[in-house]
Amino acid sequence: MTDVLVKVDLADNPHTNPGVHNRWHPDIPMIEWVKPGDDFILETYDWTGGQIKNNDDAADVRDVELPQVHYLSGPIGVKGAEPGDLLVVDILDIGAKPESLWGFNGFFSKQNGGGFLTEHFPLAQKSIWDFEGMFTRSRHVPGVRYAGLIHPGLIGCLPDRKMLEMWNSREKALFDTDPERVPPLAAMPDGGPTAHMGQLKGEARDAAAAEAARTVPPREHGGNCDIKDLSRGSKIYFPVYVEGAGLSMGDLHFSQGDGEITFCGAIEMAGWTHLKVDLIKGGMAKYGIKNPIFRPSPITPKYDDYLIFEGISVDETGTQHYLDVHIAYRQACLNAIEYLKKFGYTGAQAYAILGTAPVQGHISGVVDIPNACATLWLPTDIFEWDLMPNKDGPTKFLDGSIDVPVAPDL
Ligand code: ZN
């Protein structure tokens, strides 16, 4: 029997669970110790800790308390791991909890987090996705059904003090360039009651919470990378910074498009992950590793036919930008949304598809001044209708009577 090192009860408040935490700090105690070669299971809450419900009302996405995120299970100590080693992590398998065979996708209000296309979709919206074994479909987004490429959005090891201080100082410098910006340029340490510091208690907890890094961005240790291809069957090599490594993970996604453009997020879910760990002593220097590297799964959904949308670094106002792949990818996404609307989808439904389906995003060209070219690859086989252009023009199969629920700002 494989040990379940963290159990979560979805009916409970995650703040009462000592096996989870929602900040990065070197003083967060290991909740369990394992040996190299061991395998074990971690159960995880969804990234918001159950704030989003399976209903047709987006008020919970509008009102979400973002300082609570992300609820991570761990940290797991690995005996013998020392700074400079590589922690080798096999993601042996991932699944949904049987009592929770559904996930959510949302767009945050621009007033509370926003998203990649927040200027175009400024209000909170939510779609619910039901799991049919390895497939998913949504009552809010008809006409698509696809196989999940299930993965943790967030996995990594604890930082040491030096790395934590580097993160905080560089992110503060960026934040300070426009401290009033909505949404903010970076999520800074807040030390508030929403910081869950695992088994750290009392004054030690308060001191650590005040400087602990938020889990929002990806960093040198991996963290919130949101890489859809980091799926079950992957083998990851993580830099180790503290004695025991301190592996934590969460934010499971049933499926996600490249970029996780909707931010809330992919198809977010609670679930479990079966992991195996090993060590490469001194591996960081041996292989010149600064950020994690990984080998993807031998199993992926077989979607190999695409309709590909191009975007260039000219923004919505017609302004020219210099080799800006962020703007180019945004244009590719907006082009795909306009196309899907011709078949009857609302913009929100099209946006939800790009955020959740196994769409690929590519940086196609970054040298042809002044335009970067990014491409968005839309798999044709996920649609239950013909996506391709033809001489007769698009056939509308939706009439707008079904949409992604929206919650007006208060
Ligand atoms: Zn997520």
Side-chain angles (χ1 to χ4, degrees):
M1 268 276 285
T2 302
D3 288 338
V4 181
L5 300 188
V6 176
K7 287 195 168 74
V8 306
D9 181 341
L10 301 181
D12 279 352
N13 180 344
H15 266 264
T16 62
N17 189 329
V20 304
H21 62 103
N22 64 9
R23 297 291 188 272
W24 292 115
H25 194 284
D27 294 347
I28 297 174
M30 308 294 175
I31 55 157
E32 294 279 355
W33 285 86
V34 300
K35 299 186 303 297
D38 283 353
D39 68 301
F40 52 89
I41 289 171
L42 301 180
E43 294 184 353
T44 47
Y45 298 94
D46 83 74
W47 74 300
T48 70
Q51 294 185 63
I52 311 302
K53 306 299 180 194
N54 184 349
N55 59 30
D56 304 321
D57 182 352
D60 50 10
V61 172
R62 177 192 62 204
D63 302 334
V64 71
E65 199 176 42
L66 281 178
Q68 284 194 51
V69 304
H70 301 69
Y71 285 103
L72 308 179
S73 294
I76 303 297
V78 180
K79 289 178 184 156
E82 297 172 296
D85 294 346
L86 288 177
L87 181 68
V88 186
V89 177
D90 282 293
I91 300 181
L92 298 176
D93 205 356
I94 307 176
K97 285 177 73 78
E99 69 273 28
S100 185
L101 298 178
W102 62 280
F104 62 88
N105 173 263
F107 326 148
F108 288 130
S109 160
K110 190 184 169 189
Q111 303 303 318
N112 187 23
F116 187 57
L117 302 180
T118 197
E119 302 300 331
H120 302 270
F121 299 92
L123 298 177
Q125 297 196 252
K126 175 175 86 178
S127 54
I128 299 297
W129 296 77
D130 291 308
F131 307 152
E132 304 168 334
M134 63 184 280
F135 297 97
T136 187
R137 63 167 69 247
S138 170
R139 62 183 179 266
H140 301 123
V141 187
V144 284
R145 176 178 185 265
Y146 44 85
L149 182 54
I150 196 167
H151 60 276
L154 202 162
I155 182 167
C157 296
L158 291 181
D160 62 10
R161 172 154 292 281
K162 192 166 151 236
M163 178 149 284
L164 176 67
E165 285 168 1
M166 179 176 72
W167 293 349
N168 282 344
S169 76
R170 74 188 182 199
E171 289 171 28
K172 180 76 163 49
L174 174 68
F175 179 88
D176 285 346
T177 61
D178 190 359
E180 304 303 321
R181 187 177 188 272
V182 178
L185 286 170
M188 300 313 301
D190 55 15
T194 50
H196 187 335
M197 303 301 292
Q199 295 179 357
L200 208 52
K201 299 288 174 232
E203 282 177 22
R205 178 262 169 219
D206 294 347
E211 60 183 10
R214 298 292 309 279
T215 56
V216 179
R219 299 187 180 96
E220 287 84 346
H221 67 152
N224 194 24
C225 289
D226 292 315
I227 303 168
K228 74 180 192 325
D229 304 284
L230 196 72
S231 60
R232 59 183 168 165
S234 296
K235 184 187 278 291
I236 321 167
Y237 302 82
F238 287 106
V240 172
Y241 310 102
V242 301
E243 301 284 331
L247 178 72
S248 293
M249 60 157 299
D251 187 22
L252 293 184
H253 298 159
F254 189 84
S255 177
Q256 182 207 291
D258 280 343
E260 203 195 22
I261 62 173
T262 40
F263 187 27
C264 175
I267 296 176
E268 304 292 332
M269 59 181 276
W272 54 268
T273 305
H274 187 180
L275 300 155
K276 182 178 178 187
V277 291
D278 209 338
L279 289 175
I280 298 178
K281 297 300 293 177
M284 286 177 72
K286 279 180 187 162
Y287 289 101
I289 301 289
K290 183 177 131 194
N291 297 68
I293 58 175
F294 72 98
R295 185 181 203 177
S297 174
I299 298 174
T300 53
K302 186 173 164 297
Y303 296 118
D304 46 20
D305 183 52
Y306 293 89
L307 186 59
I308 299 176
F309 294 83
E310 301 181 5
I312 56 172
S313 51
V314 175
D315 70 20
E316 294 89 319
T317 69
T319 303
Q320 179 73 58
H321 297 262
Y322 178 72
L323 300 180
D324 187 327
V325 294
H326 183 269
I327 289 171
Y329 193 51
R330 190 168 81 226
Q331 302 315 309
C333 293
L334 290 171
N335 290 343
I337 289 170
E338 279 312 302
Y339 183 90
L340 290 171
K341 282 162 70 176
K342 300 298 183 195
F343 296 85
Y345 280 120
T346 64
Q349 288 172 325
Y351 190 21
I353 291 169
L354 301 191
T356 60
V359 307
Q360 295 188 28
H362 291 238
I363 297 172
S364 300
V366 284
V367 292
D368 300 309
I369 57 169
N371 277 331
C373 178
T375 46
L376 181 126
W377 300 39
L378 201 49
T380 57
D381 292 334
I382 68 170
F383 294 94
E384 297 173 318
W385 45 276
D386 184 7
L387 177 71
M388 297 302 293
N390 65 61
K391 286 181 199 162
D392 299 327
T395 305
K396 281 204 177 195
F397 75 102
L398 288 169
D399 61 7
S401 57
I402 303 169
D403 198 0
V404 178
V406 59
D409 282 333
L410 294 171

